[in-house]
């Protein structure tokens, strides 16, 4: 028993770490962002309620036979609505004191009098209360996992006209009561379909695990269910890059967990050092952090200086003195990112091999030198793409063979730094120019972005705007309906023959 308790105590720190893996990327949506979502969501709800399908209503009261069909919503007034967070995983959407205008077709038979036409009706005091539960699905994507809905109609009235108006008014109670019941029964199923099917199709557009370029990809899967407070919704993403050739490779996260305290902007996105380290580690594993310059690709001034520096060695290799030079620059370990309040930097260790490549003969290595560089990184957001602009800040070379050779290489410090600035850095920045997409649904973009550095992570505060409406995105990704295997029968049109009522 004691041994089991000791084992549990030893495993407890590991279990806590396993349960709460730190995110590489974190997104916070605030109440201000939710207000913008509410505006777009309200338009979407209006469109859904306008498409409500109400079953036909028919019945008999004494000698009065009635058939109500082709019910259509003609107008909606959703003046009082509210969307707010509710801990721990919910969004609550309320509509109060709304009104719904209807128009439907009537067929009435009273004794020998038969009447057909349209009726305008209005449902007032409509109250709708919905609660959306948010959760992480098996793929690590945010989804609406459940919805609870309650709808009621306080009152409903219909406007009758024609020769049988007095009869209609007498019997309108039966018709209005039936229509009120049928309408209220259709509101929640319509909103449930809109949430669990249509809105989830929009959330399906959030990138979870996709390729960044031909070398690496990124994993944006959620680590856990969202955390909802009264004012915020926080999402913890894995935020790990991986080489495409080893897409199951995992890189353990030892970085500081991002902490977002601000709530002034609509949305905040935080990135830890792990986010950037995993990108550089993935590129390193993919074998693309290397470059070779040979012959005419070597800058002329640098070639002259190199030949002068290694003149004695080159002279001893006669008659290959005029052989082309080859420079091989390769990163020796995955670069590391350091984020401080003062700025972001990247440390890179590499080696540079300088060789002669005589025609038809094996290459002759002149020197192998180690390089240590520090790059300053400017991180910025453009649209939904996170981009990085790198600039060479510090540079040092030394020989791996001897201190004497390191002293001889001192004259190469400035020209090699110029080589990196003019030749290598533009290539690197061209690769980072495309950036990587932030996990937001299609149709939603950032504006007015501000980057703030902290100890171990950085945050991007921004506002949101909809470049596409929810309906536009839904229609774009709506599955194409397949033809049924057998012809389906359409509902029969209401008959004008009173004997078939």
């Amino acid at each position: 028993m004691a041994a089991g308790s000791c084992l549990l105590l030893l495993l407890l720190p590991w279990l806590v770490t396993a349960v709460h893996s730190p995110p590489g990327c974190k997104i916070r949506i605030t109440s201000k962002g939710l207000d913008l979502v509410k505006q777009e969501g309200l338009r979407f709800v209006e469109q859904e309620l306008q498409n409500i399908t109400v079953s036909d209503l028919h019945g008999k009261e004494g000698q009065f036979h009635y058939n109500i069909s082709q019910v259509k919503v003609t107008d909606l007034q959703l003046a009082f609505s509210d969307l707010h967070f509710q801990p721990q995983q919910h969004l609550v959407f309320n509509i109060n004191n709304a009104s719904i205008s209807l128009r439907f077709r009537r067929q009435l038979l009273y004794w020998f009098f038969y009447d057909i036409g349209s009726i305008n009706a209005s449902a007032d005091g409509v109250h709708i209360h919905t609660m959306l539960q948010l959760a992480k699905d098996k793929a690590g994507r945010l989804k609406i996992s459940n919805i609870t809905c309650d709808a009621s109609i306080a009152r409903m009235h219909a406007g009758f006209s024609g020769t049988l108006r007095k009869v209609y008014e007498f019997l309108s109670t039966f018709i209005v009561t039936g229509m009120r019941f049928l309408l209220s029964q259709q509101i929640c199923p319509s909103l449930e379909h809109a949430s669990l099917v249509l809105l989830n199709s929009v959330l399906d557009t959030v990138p979870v695990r996709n390729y960044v370029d031909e070398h690496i990809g990124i994993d944006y899967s959620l680590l856990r269910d969202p955390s909802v407070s009264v004012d915020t919704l926080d999402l913890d993403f894995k935020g790990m890059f991986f080489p495409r050739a080893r897409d199951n490779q995992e890189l353990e996260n030892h970085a500081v967990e991002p902490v977002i305290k601000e709530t002034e902007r609509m949305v905040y996105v935080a990135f830890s050092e792990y986010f950037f380290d995993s990108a550089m580690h993935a590129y390193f594993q993919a074998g693309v952090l290397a470059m070779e310059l040979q012959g005419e690709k070597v800058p002329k001034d640098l070639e002259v200086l190199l030949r002068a520096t290694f003149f004695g060695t080159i002279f001893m290799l006669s008659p290959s003195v005029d052989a082309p030079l080859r420079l091989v620059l390769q990163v020796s370990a995955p670069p590391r990112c350091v984020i401080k309040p003062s700025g972001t930097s990247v440390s890179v260790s590499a080696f540079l091999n300088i060789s002669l490549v005589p025609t038809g003969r094996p290459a002759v290595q002149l020197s192998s030198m180690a390089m240590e560089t520090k790059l300053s990184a400017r991180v910025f957001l453009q649209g939904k793409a996170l981009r990085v602009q790198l600039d060479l800040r510090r540079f040092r070379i030394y020989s791996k063979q001897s201190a004497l050779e390191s002293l001889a290489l001192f004259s190469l410090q400035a020209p090699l730094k110029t080589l990196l600035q003019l030749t290598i850095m533009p290539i690197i920045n061209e690769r980072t120019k495309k950036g990587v997409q932030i996990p937001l649904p299609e149709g939603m973009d950032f504006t007015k972005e501000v980057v703030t550095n902290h100890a171990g992570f950085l945050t991007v505060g921004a506002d949101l705007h909809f470049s596409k409406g929810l309906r536009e995105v839904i229609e774009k990704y709506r599955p194409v309906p397949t033809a049924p295997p057998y012809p389906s029968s359409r509902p029969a049109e209401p008959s004008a023959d009173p004997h078939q009522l």
Side-chain angles (χ1 to χ4, degrees), residues 114-340:
Y114 175 70
D115 183 55
I116 186 171
S118 298
I119 299 177
N120 294 321
S122 176
D124 299 320
V126 179
H127 298 276
I128 305 172
H129 175 80
T130 56
M131 183 181 294
L132 307 176
Q133 182 176 359
L134 304 175
K136 174 181 76 75
D137 69 3
K138 293 181 180 179
R141 179 177 276 111
L142 178 67
K143 283 297 182 69
I144 300 171
S145 60
N146 192 27
I147 176 174
T148 58
C149 176
D150 180 58
S152 63
I153 299 174
R155 56 196 172 276
M156 187 168 185
H157 57 85
F160 296 95
S161 61
T163 56
L164 299 178
R165 181 170 60 86
K166 294 296 183 181
V167 177
Y168 301 156
E169 291 176 353
F170 173 73
L171 297 169
S172 64
T173 303
F174 303 105
I175 298 175
V176 170
T177 302
M179 287 302 302
R180 176 183 169 188
F181 174 78
L182 291 176
L183 180 60
S184 63
Q185 291 297 304
Q186 294 301 316
I187 291 175
C188 283
S190 176
L191 295 182
E192 288 172 2
H193 178 266
S195 301
L196 298 177
V197 178
L198 301 184
L199 289 183
N200 274 337
S201 71
V202 176
L203 294 176
D204 281 338
T205 66
V206 177
V208 171
R209 190 176 177 89
N210 62 324
Y211 293 140
V212 176
D213 55 27
E214 64 271 24
H215 304 294
I216 68 171
I218 186 167
D219 188 338
Y220 270 134
S221 58
L222 283 171
L223 294 175
R224 55 193 64 90
D225 290 334
S227 174
V228 180
S229 71
V230 176
D231 300 313
T232 60
L233 184 151
D234 289 342
L235 301 167
D236 290 346
F237 296 93
K238 192 172 188 178
M240 185 198 77
F241 292 83
F242 57 87
R244 289 180 60 167
R246 307 175 187 176
D247 56 0
N248 292 323
Q249 178 175 288
E250 293 285 334
L251 181 64
E252 195 170 350
N253 187 353
H254 299 290
V256 174
E257 179 172 348
V259 178
I260 305 175
K261 298 180 179 179
E262 299 88 349
T263 58
E264 292 78 16
R265 306 296 294 274
M266 291 184 182
V267 64
Y268 291 88
V269 189
F271 304 94
S272 75
E273 292 174 345
Y274 172 81
F275 181 86
F276 301 100
D277 283 347
S278 68
M280 294 180 288
H281 187 273
Y283 274 124
F284 180 79
Q285 292 291 322
V288 297
L289 299 184
M291 184 170 295
E292 180 178 310
L293 300 176
Q294 181 174 322
E296 296 180 354
K297 292 185 178 180
V298 179
K300 199 65 181 176
D301 294 343
L302 179 62
E303 181 181 0
V304 171
L305 185 60
L306 289 174
R307 289 183 182 275
T309 302
F310 299 105
F311 180 78
T313 305
I314 296 175
F315 183 78
M316 295 299 294
L317 297 172
S318 180
S320 303
V321 176
D322 293 330
L325 282 175
R326 180 172 67 191
L327 278 63
V328 177
L329 177 63
Q330 185 167 345
V331 174
S332 56
R336 296 300 301 273
C337 173
V338 177
I339 303 176
K340 297 180 179 180

Side-chain angles (χ1 to χ4, degrees), residues 280-434:
M280 294 180 288
H281 187 273
Y283 274 124
F284 180 79
Q285 292 291 322
V288 297
L289 299 184
M291 184 170 295
E292 180 178 310
L293 300 176
Q294 181 174 322
E296 296 180 354
K297 292 185 178 180
V298 179
K300 199 65 181 176
D301 294 343
L302 179 62
E303 181 181 0
V304 171
L305 185 60
L306 289 174
R307 289 183 182 275
T309 302
F310 299 105
F311 180 78
T313 305
I314 296 175
F315 183 78
M316 295 299 294
L317 297 172
S318 180
S320 303
V321 176
D322 293 330
L325 282 175
R326 180 172 67 191
L327 278 63
V328 177
L329 177 63
Q330 185 167 345
V331 174
S332 56
R336 296 300 301 273
C337 173
V338 177
I339 303 176
K340 297 180 179 180
S342 57
T344 302
S345 62
V346 178
S347 299
V348 184
S349 297
F351 60 83
L352 176 65
N353 289 333
I354 303 175
S355 306
L356 281 175
V357 282
T359 304
R361 296 178 57 186
V364 179
Q365 182 170 303
L366 301 179
S367 179
S368 177
M369 61 186 74
M371 302 173 57
E372 292 181 357
T373 62
K374 182 165 281 190
L375 312 174
S376 62
R378 185 174 73 90
V379 181
F380 59 99
L381 201 61
Q382 193 168 22
K384 275 193 295 192
L386 183 74
R387 300 182 178 181
V388 180
Q389 181 77 25
L390 296 171
D391 187 37
L392 183 61
R393 192 167 66 183
R394 276 192 249 164
F395 174 77
R396 184 172 78 93
I397 59 171
Y398 57 92
S399 172
K400 296 193 292 185
Q401 276 78 31
S402 67
L404 184 62
E405 187 176 4
S406 294
L407 185 63
L409 294 175
F410 184 77
S411 61
L412 295 176
Q413 188 96 7
L416 284 177
K417 184 176 182 180
T418 302
L419 170 70
L420 289 176
Q421 287 175 324
L422 299 181
T423 307
I424 310 300
M425 294 309 299
I427 297 175
I428 295 175
N429 283 324
E430 186 64 29
R431 283 184 176 173
T432 62
K433 183 178 179 181
K434 181 182 177 182

Side-chain angles (χ1 to χ4, degrees), residues 83-95:
L83 178 65
H84 63 268
F85 297 117
Q86 178 169 311
Q88 298 290 324
Q89 295 172 237
H90 297 90
L91 291 178
V92 176
F93 184 56
N94 290 321
I95 295 175

